Amino acid sequence: MAKSIMIQGTTSSAGKSFLTAALCRIFAQDGYRVAPFKSQNMALNSFITEEGLEMGRAQVMQAEAAGVKPSVRMNPILLKPTGDTGSQVIVNGEVRGNMTAREYFALKRSLFSDVMDAYHALAADYDILIIEGAGSPAEINLKQDDIVNMGMAARADAPVLLCGDIDRGGVFASLYGTVALLSPEERDRIRGLIINKFRGDQSILNPGLTELERLTGKPVVPYLPLELDDEDSLTERFQRPAHRGLLDVAVIRLPRISNFTDLNPLSCVEQVSLRYVHSAGELGEPHLIILPGTKNTMEDLRWLRQCGLEAAICRHAARGGAVMGICGGYQMLGRSLRDPDGVEAGGQMRGMGLLDAETVFLAKKTRTQVRGKVRNAAGIFSPLNDVEFTGYEIHMGRTTSSLPPFSGLSTGQADGLWSGNVFGTYVHGIFEQGDFTRAFVNCMLRSMGLTEATGAVDWAQYKQQQYDALAQGVRQALDMPYVYRLLDLDPGAAR
């Protein structure tokens, strides 16, 4: 059975996911079979495995860092928020249903058997498991029946490293306060502290570290501005200024935006300035508008309508401007949306009318990996015809139209629709194929009379470079011999 160690944080977005990925990479580099594990994840960024099962995107990123295939065993419970008080509950990759918070908490205790079955199955196949917590272990209102922080650490008998984010301020208070709110048994399980995202001279921290000497392990992890997949909408990516490129791409930051990681490869193309906009005033006059995925198409379309962005997007399209919709964004582009079974908001809504299509929401979720080839491309995108791509579909709607399809898929089905410079697709991850991304960007540049791009980022290779850089930085900052001692392993034994 695998040895395990757990990364917990004083808050959400304290750096747990990246630290977990870093340790996965380090142990893999050292010759160990290693895998990530997060018993319960709440995020709208998800992925479909080869088996057609759904899991959190962060654990996919960590599996990539470990050099192993993603498996739903790495994330047995995924919660996808549908509103302020409810979520779609996914267990072992399958939708269990939409539940209020109260309904889920009533069910949670019974799900611990699913969690432990997944954990033990994973532990049988690997040498080391890096367990990631969620939020904070000191949420004392949620400690009863906890299955993701100290409750999971106890079941796995895992030592815990607790990290705090110095960017947020008050890092010493948050570390000390977290430990103070734990029970004596839980405090004993914490074997070290990590101050994440520190920049500068470590000696400045020493007076504070001295005050925390009674807690073992005080390594400092530096801030590393790497391009890796973010877990959820707490990402800093939305506030990050876009670099100045020739092609201005505006991504609509929907309130329930999901799988925004679809756009990460596009943001790495030198000629592209990719920015996220949340109001009509921020939109300006971009060359391309992208409507990304959303967990609730109808509610986010209503928001677009209320804030004036729908009208601005339609004016842009009427002038011949390019518009792309992905998944929920694609559904919005049609003329109508119907939800007879209350899968989302229920009832019927008028769409944006940029595509002659109708979407009907169904209770059964489509989950599949796909390969495809562009068909029927029109307008400025006509050179995209016959370009191949890969990706995956996650959606609960069926879209029908007499318009020509965007592509033919390996499943034998058609996907998406074209109408002039407006098109939509259900395929997530479509920009991860370098040839498709280069051809896509060149269509835009050619329409602007600009020099075409000669290359595009090989996203898979680029991410591997980022994982290596992350591992190198954490090796330098973290006391890895101490971490190995916590696991009772020899750093060189697996080589």
Side-chain angles (χ1 to χ4, degrees):
M1 295 292 287
K3 306 273 189 175
S4 63
I5 188 169
M6 189 167 194
I7 304 296
Q8 296 185 13
T10 59
T11 64
S12 295
S13 199
K16 299 184 293 293
S17 294
F18 279 6
L19 287 170
T20 299
L23 290 177
C24 283
R25 191 63 159 198
I26 289 169
F27 288 126
Q29 289 173 339
D30 290 351
Y32 285 97
R33 296 174 303 157
V34 58
F37 181 82
K38 185 166 185 173
S39 57
Q40 173 191 289
N41 196 353
M42 178 176 282
L44 290 178
N45 286 347
S46 62
F47 176 82
I48 299 300
T49 68
E50 290 180 352
E51 301 81 11
L53 301 174
E54 189 171 4
M55 62 182 290
R57 187 83 201 186
Q59 281 62 63
V60 175
M61 179 265 289
Q62 293 158 357
E64 289 175 345
V68 299
K69 284 186 178 181
S71 165
V72 291
R73 297 178 302 174
M74 300 170 183
N75 174 212
I77 301 175
L78 175 62
L79 306 178
K80 302 184 77 171
T82 56
D84 293 337
T85 60
S87 294
Q88 184 182 73
V89 178
I90 298 167
V91 181
N92 292 322
E94 303 275 4
V95 175
R96 187 67 64 91
N98 289 341
M99 301 183 191
T100 65
R102 187 176 296 277
E103 288 170 338
Y104 175 68
F105 282 117
L107 175 70
K108 188 167 68 168
R109 179 180 295 183
S110 67
L111 294 179
F112 219 151
S113 61
D114 293 281
V115 168
M116 296 312 300
D117 286 347
Y119 174 82
H120 289 307
L122 203 62
D125 290 342
Y126 292 92
D127 302 317
I128 302 173
L129 296 187
I130 314 298
I131 308 171
E132 181 186 346
S136 165
E139 302 288 356
I140 54 179
N141 58 315
L142 301 176
K143 286 182 68 173
Q144 185 178 4
D145 301 326
D146 170 58
I147 64 174
V148 69
N149 286 308
M150 284 300 179
M152 184 65 224
R155 291 290 187 101
D157 193 23
V160 174
L161 297 176
L162 178 68
C163 66
D165 179 2
I166 202 168
D167 263 359
R168 294 170 177 264
V171 68
F172 294 109
S174 63
L175 286 166
Y176 179 83
T178 297
V179 174
L181 285 171
L182 299 177
S183 69
E185 294 80 8
E186 292 168 338
R187 289 179 205 158
D188 290 342
R189 195 166 289 284
I190 294 179
R191 305 298 297 277
L193 301 177
I194 298 173
I195 295 181
N196 195 28
K197 300 183 184 178
F198 176 71
R199 308 169 180 86
D201 184 352
Q202 184 177 333
S203 66
I204 297 172
L205 288 178
N206 286 340
L209 297 178
T210 300
E211 293 298 317
L212 296 174
E213 280 183 354
R214 63 188 181 86
L215 297 174
T216 60
K218 307 170 184 64
V220 178
V221 178
Y223 174 78
L224 296 171
L226 301 176
E227 294 292 340
L228 297 173
D229 284 351
D230 311 72
E231 181 170 18
D232 53 32
S233 57
L234 292 176
T235 178
E236 298 172 358
R237 192 178 300 273
F238 293 155
Q239 286 77 40
R240 190 183 304 168
H243 78 275
R244 293 182 178 274
L246 300 172
L247 177 59
D248 181 16
V249 177
V251 181
I252 305 302
R253 184 183 170 185
L254 301 166
R256 299 161 186 83
I257 187 171
S258 66
N259 282 66
F260 56 83
T261 50
D262 287 340
L263 289 314
N264 289 358
L266 191 60
S267 70
C268 292
V269 179
E270 181 180 359
Q271 291 85 351
V272 174
S273 294
L274 189 141
R275 55 194 177 89
Y276 290 86
V277 302
H278 196 61
S279 68
E282 294 174 342
L283 185 62
E285 297 183 0
H287 301 108
L288 169 67
I289 296 174
I290 298 179
L291 285 161
T294 166
K295 188 63 189 74
N296 196 312
T297 303
M298 298 176 80
E299 291 297 331
D300 277 0
L301 176 56
R302 185 173 287 110
W303 171 82
L304 277 178
R305 197 156 281 158
Q306 292 170 344
C307 73
L309 271 168
E310 179 192 33
I313 295 168
C314 289
R315 287 195 296 270
H316 169 84
R319 295 192 297 267
V323 180
M324 177 185 187
I326 302 176
C327 200
Y330 163 40
Q331 294 170 340
M332 293 180 186
L333 295 176
R335 50 183 166 76
S336 69
L337 301 98
R338 292 195 295 118
D339 185 13
D341 298 325
V343 173
E344 285 199 355
Q348 183 169 336
M349 282 186 71
R350 171 178 57 84
M352 298 175 68
L354 298 180
L355 293 174
D356 184 14
E358 179 185 63
T359 295
V360 178
F361 292 100
L362 306 171
K364 184 178 179 181
K365 179 180 282 192
T366 298
R367 307 184 313 255
T368 184
Q369 292 189 0
V370 297
R371 291 182 172 275
K373 181 181 289 189
V374 177
R375 294 177 179 172
N376 306 306
I380 63 175
F381 293 107
S382 56
L384 274 181
N385 279 311
D386 295 325
V387 176
E388 297 181 347
F389 59 86
T390 61
Y392 53 98
E393 293 189 29
I394 320 171
H395 56 91
M396 300 186 78
R398 183 179 64 216
T399 300
T400 56
S401 174
S402 60
L403 290 173
F406 165 78
S407 64
L409 299 178
S410 54
T411 57
Q413 298 175 322
D415 166 71
L417 298 170
W418 289 102
S419 181
N421 294 334
V422 178
F423 71 100
T425 176
Y426 273 118
V427 179
H428 293 287
I430 195 168
F431 289 112
E432 294 190 18
Q433 193 86 359
D435 290 344
F436 177 88
T437 302
R438 181 181 64 252
F440 179 89
V441 170
N442 282 340
C443 286
M444 296 294 303
L445 293 175
R446 188 182 299 113
S447 72
M448 297 158 60
L450 299 173
T451 303
E452 296 181 16
T454 57
V457 172
D458 181 324
W459 189 241
Q461 179 181 351
Y462 180 75
K463 286 194 290 185
Q464 294 303 316
Q465 295 169 348
Q466 295 291 289
Y467 296 138
D468 285 337
L470 177 64
Q472 180 181 0
V474 174
R475 273 190 194 274
Q476 294 171 352
L478 200 61
D479 186 351
M480 283 307 300
Y482 174 72
V483 174
Y484 268 107
R485 290 197 297 274
L486 289 178
L487 290 165
D488 195 23
L489 290 174
D490 182 345
R495 291 176 178 164

